[in-house]
Each structure stands twice: as structure tokens, then as C-alpha cells.
Amino acid sequence: MTVKPRRALPFFHRHPWVFAGAIAKVEGELAPGTEVALVSNKGEFIGRGLFNPNSNIRVRLYGWEEDVPLDRDFWSARLDAAIAVRRDWTKGEQSRSAERLVFSEGDGMSGLVVDRYGDWLLLQLTSLALSQRVDEIVELLQVKLKPAGIWLRTEKGMRESEGLELSDGLLTGSEPPRPLFIEEAGVRHSIDVCQGHKTGFYLDQRENRAAVARYVKGHRVLDLFCYTGGFGLAALVCGGAQEVIGVDSSEPALTLARANAESNEVSDQIHFEKAKVFESLEKMKAAGEQFDTVILDPPKMTRHRAGTKQALRGYHSLNRMAVDVLRPGGLLVTCSCSGLIDRADIDQMLADVSLQAKRPIRILESRGQAPDHPVSVHCPETSYLQCNICHVE
Ligand code: SAH
């Protein structure tokens, strides 16, 4: 497959997504999922990838050596590398009870996510070509990790973007228990890996939950978009906060959150409210509520570049309202998982909020996603999570 003149640079720099517009010509009739070699218009080899005529990402690149095909040995080596690096990080520590083992482009496997919760693996496929190789991947994971079972989770919109027809279900072994229990930094979490968001839990916020816990001793904490209570429970159990109010609009999430409060024996210090965050903040402001810490972890606000302006307006309103219920000298923890919104945009948004509210804001920690969601320097899109811990005067 030949790249158009002057369009090859990103791929020589190992960006793995070749969009349709960069391709000059395809030799022969290629079935979806076929392995292709990408060459420049001068005929130089660039990389090896998998073709999908149904996707805007026409080719996902995986290999950078001309003579190494994308066969079973190749995927086996990639999986080994992803597993080994995580074992290295946790060396000496008690092994984690849940982790992301494969983070798509962050581990050189565009379109594949593997999360481990205890003895179970959760698989997500967002590439048609890899989904055709699912049996091989499952078999490799079985041999390497000997899980009790592997369950497939699918994302919405894959049929439109990849032509991918998959449904959730058991791939091998036994079904994961519902709920499944894990422990994170001394906090017990019950997780619904089959129906919960993502693969059931926001593993990407693990280190941020621990970081926030270091600031909140004795605090009254407002945990907005609390899901199953991750930040709030860490604040109580690890951080010694005094009281937490968690707000989320999802009843199934709050049911697990309440069960988590009980199993961590903090039910009397944490209260969950089913509400829309904007409405809840308005009510709290009107009632003159004040918190020592406010955590904002909203869902992704845009999936398209065209939506970034509106998303930033959304972040602005949320943060503006959050500051109104924060006591002078309080802590604002503000997150964004919209990959299309840059760090500089969030900093600017916070500057605007600060001026409008007449409350100086300083960023104490500018954080990202947990290290088992590594950012590939060749694919900036792998950096998607921001978590700013701020002091608000
Ligand atoms: N902080 C959580 C993850 C938050 S995910 C953790 O550490 O685990 C975002 C959450 O926002 C989801 O639980 C979703 O149910 C909730 N949500 C989305 N829109 C909402 C709204 N308008 N009001 C309240 N909650 C909302």
C-alpha cells in the first residue's frame, strides 16, 4: 500500500493510524483484515499493518521491520512485552489485584485493551482486523496468564466506525462473579465487569485517587460524578477525610457505591445522592453549602474535534460552579478524559474561572493517567486523562 507524496512523515515517526486520505494506491483487492506493507511513494518500506476498508483508519500499523510478519509469534512477543513491563513496575510490591495489561496504541497493539481483575481478564476490541484474530489472542492470553475466564466487552459505535459486529460475552473459562471484588490501596471495591462502565472500573484514575487522598485529612469532600465511589472512598479510607458526599446520575453505579461504603465500614461518613451534577451544584450553592475539597470527574465531553469549544464551555461552567461551593483555601480536583482537549486549554479554562470567581487558583499537581495506561510518544492521542489538583484561595 503506497502513501501519497509528502504524507509519509507521521508513519516514519511511527504514528500507527493511516487514514484513508493519506493512501495513494492499494495493489490488488484486499479483504478486510489483510496484512499489508506500507511504502512511501519512493518505494521505501515504512511499516506493517492491518487493513480495514470499512474504517477511516484504513490501516493500523503494528510492525516496523520489513521481514517480521504480524503472525502469532509477533502478537505473542507484544503481549509478553506488555505483561513484563507491568511486572517490573510492581516488583517487590504486593501484586495489584486489578490492572490494565494492554493499552492499545500505548502497548503497540492498536485496537486491543486487556484488563485484569483478580483471576479474570476483560478484553476490548476496537479494530476489525484484531477482532478477526481474537481466537489467537485469547489462546495466547490463556497460555501466558492462565486466567479463570476471559470476558469480551464491546464499545458503542464500533459497527459504524470499524464495521465490527461483536457482542459482550464469555470467550473462555468461567464467567466472572458479579460483583467481583478487588482491592486498591486498602480500599475494597465491588465491580460489575460485565455491565459497568469501561470494563467495570476506572483503573486509569488509580494513582490520582491515591494522590488526592494525601490532601484531605479531616476534610468535608464533595465527589462529583462519583460512579462507584472511587475518589470518595479513597479520601475516607486512605486519606482520613471526615465526610464525603458523592453525586452521580447512575443508579447501578450508586448501588455498588453504597455496597462499597458498607464493605469498607464507612457508611456513616459517606452519603450518595442520585442527581445531575449541575442541578445538585445549584441546589448546594443556594443552600450555602461549603466543602474543603471538591472533585470533578465528568465523562468524556467530546469525541470530535468540532465539539471541543462546546466541551470547554461545559468544563468552564462545572468548574465555576464547583468553586462556588469550595471554602477559601479549599482543594479543587478537576479531571478531563476528553483526549481532544489539551492541557493548555484546561489551564486557560481554570484561569478564566479564577478571574470570574475572583479566587486565585494554583495548580499543585498536574497529573495524567495511571502508568498501566502508558502514553506512546509516537501517538499523542494515547494521552487522554488530565487530573489537576488545585488550591483555590
Ligand atoms: N470518579 C469515578 C469515575 C467517574 S466516570 C471513579 O473514580 O471511579 C463519570 C460518571 O459520571 C459516571 O458514573 C456517570 O454515571 C456520571 N454522569 C454522567 N453525566 C452525569 C450528570 N450529568 N450528572 C451526574 N453524573 C453524571
Side-chain angles (χ1 to χ4, degrees), residues 115-342:
D115 289 339
R116 183 179 66 78
Y117 294 97
D119 291 332
W120 276 268
L121 297 182
L122 273 287
L123 208 77
Q124 275 190 313
L125 288 161
T126 51
S127 127
L128 177 78
L130 282 193
S131 81
Q132 295 172 336
R133 290 155 176 82
V134 65
D135 291 345
E136 197 163 83
I137 292 166
V138 164
E139 190 244 316
L140 286 167
L141 288 169
Q142 256 177 323
V143 171
K144 292 176 197 302
L145 299 161
K146 304 183 180 56
I150 306 182
W151 183 272
L152 180 72
R153 288 292 306 261
T154 51
E155 266 187 31
K156 272 190 235 135
M158 280 303 114
R159 184 187 316 185
E160 296 77 45
S161 65
E162 284 283 310
L164 190 53
E165 301 274 357
L166 286 174
S167 46
D168 288 24
L170 191 65
L171 293 168
T172 184
S174 63
E175 283 197 17
R178 293 178 68 187
L180 189 157
F181 291 96
I182 64 148
E183 205 177 290
E184 176 188 281
V187 182
R188 241 168 96 79
H189 291 278
S190 50
I191 297 171
D192 185 348
V193 294
C194 301
Q195 304 237 298
H197 298 174
K198 292 199 167 209
T199 58
F201 193 57
Y202 287 85
L203 291 166
D204 52 358
Q205 292 278 30
R206 179 195 310 111
E207 268 71 10
N208 297 330
R209 288 186 282 262
V212 170
R214 291 195 279 271
Y215 293 87
V216 297
K217 198 167 175 53
H219 280 197
R220 180 169 197 242
V221 176
L222 179 59
D223 182 6
L224 298 168
F225 305 96
C226 66
Y227 189 49
T228 54
F231 275 99
L233 291 165
L236 283 173
V237 178
C238 318
Q242 201 189 357
E243 184 195 355
V244 174
I245 295 179
V247 179
D248 202 282
S249 56
S250 155
E251 191 56 51
L254 292 178
T255 302
L256 284 177
R258 291 189 185 104
N260 286 337
E262 242 168 64
S263 66
N264 288 285
E265 297 174 7
V266 290
S267 297
D268 50 341
Q269 287 167 280
I270 193 162
H271 170 76
F272 292 104
E273 201 178 290
K274 182 177 183 295
K276 298 250 186 228
V277 160
F278 275 105
E279 289 165 18
S280 179
L281 275 171
E282 260 164 20
K283 274 193 202 137
M284 286 181 191
K285 186 186 172 184
E289 297 264 11
Q290 290 271 283
F291 293 89
D292 305 297
T293 291
V294 178
I295 299 157
L296 271 176
D297 185 17
K300 195 188 272 191
M301 297 260 212
T302 177
R303 289 175 192 281
H304 310 285
R305 216 161 271 287
T308 54
K309 271 225 168 87
Q310 198 186 343
L312 273 166
R313 279 198 290 274
Y315 284 115
H316 183 277
S317 322
L318 271 177
N319 282 271
R320 176 74 189 81
M321 289 169 83
V323 163
D324 279 341
V325 295
L326 195 60
R327 68 141 160 98
L331 199 72
L332 173 68
V333 178
T334 183
C335 306
S336 158
C337 60
S338 310
L340 291 166
I341 307 259
D342 292 333

